[in-house]
Amino acid sequence: MRHTLSVLVENRHGVLARVAGMFARRGYNIDSLTVGVTEDPTISRMTIVVRGDDEVLEQVTKQLNKLIDVIRVSDLKAEDTVEREMALFKVSSDVSNRSEIMQIVDIFRARIIDVAPKSMIIEVTGDETKIEAIEQLLRPFGIKEMVRTGKVALRRGAKGVSS
């Protein structure tokens, strides 16, 4: 089972290394990790996706809460959150297939952000299944390079992680 954790931490150097080190020491793998400053510049939010059962989740949460720079750890349930990823795909293209690629981009509400004589860079945001679907449709054209962000997530409604 995959769990999405929202971890509020002090915005200081070395915090990411301590959090990642805790996962490494305990033998837990991080599927996805994103970090960014919050509305309060002294606090950063880490969105961490980890695989495991409820026991693994409990241990990870306890270990994170022991770290001095961690303010709060919340398990975000899929039905209560809005989740997104972003991906960039550099796809082989020329005049013969460019319009077909543009149709796929339109269907997925993605954007073409760079065009060169032999390639295009496409930006897409959405949930994991949307990113994987457009990737599968672009593969036949030849994906030269691709990069994906980790998941970012916020709890739905008025209640937030810090509430």
Side-chain angles (χ1 to χ4, degrees):
M1 178 181 273
R2 291 172 59 160
H3 298 278
T4 302
L5 301 175
S6 181
V7 183
L8 296 178
V9 297
E10 299 290 337
N11 188 12
R12 293 187 226 170
H13 67 281
V15 174
L16 176 59
R18 285 189 282 283
V19 169
M22 184 282 296
F23 277 86
R25 283 190 306 279
R26 299 290 176 185
Y28 300 126
N29 188 42
I30 297 173
D31 280 1
S32 170
L33 171 67
T34 56
V35 184
V37 70
T38 65
E39 64 283 354
D40 179 347
T42 65
I43 297 174
S44 289
R45 179 189 312 266
M46 295 183 174
T47 306
I48 303 170
V49 178
V50 63
R51 288 185 194 267
D53 56 19
D54 289 339
E55 186 177 316
V56 168
L57 175 66
E58 183 179 347
Q59 286 302 310
V60 166
T61 301
K62 284 180 181 177
Q63 294 301 318
L64 284 170
N65 279 316
K66 286 182 182 180
L67 297 176
I68 194 158
D69 295 314
V70 171
I71 298 166
R72 183 177 196 133
V73 180
S74 298
D75 179 21
L76 300 178
K77 306 289 185 211
E79 62 274 6
D80 296 335
T81 61
V82 175
E83 302 174 343
R84 292 290 181 266
E85 291 186 29
M86 197 250 316
L88 297 176
F89 297 95
K90 185 183 288 184
V91 180
S92 297
S93 73
D94 56 30
V95 292
S96 68
N97 63 10
R98 199 159 276 159
S99 64
E100 192 176 351
I101 293 170
M102 289 170 66
Q103 286 177 343
I104 292 169
V105 167
D106 285 343
I107 290 167
F108 282 87
R109 289 189 226 127
R111 294 182 338 141
I112 297 169
I113 59 172
D114 185 65
V115 177
K118 301 243 183 234
S119 67
M120 300 169 82
I121 297 178
I122 298 160
E123 172 190 29
V124 62
T125 59
D127 62 18
E128 184 177 12
T129 57
K130 179 179 178 179
I131 306 290
E132 289 169 356
I134 194 170
E135 177 184 349
Q136 291 307 311
L137 289 173
L138 293 174
R139 279 215 180 275
F141 298 100
I143 296 176
K144 292 181 168 190
E145 292 182 86
M146 79 176 249
V147 63
R148 287 174 72 162
T149 65
K151 182 189 298 188
V152 292
L154 284 177
R155 186 170 278 140
R156 291 182 188 275
K159 185 178 178 191
V161 170
S162 55
S163 305

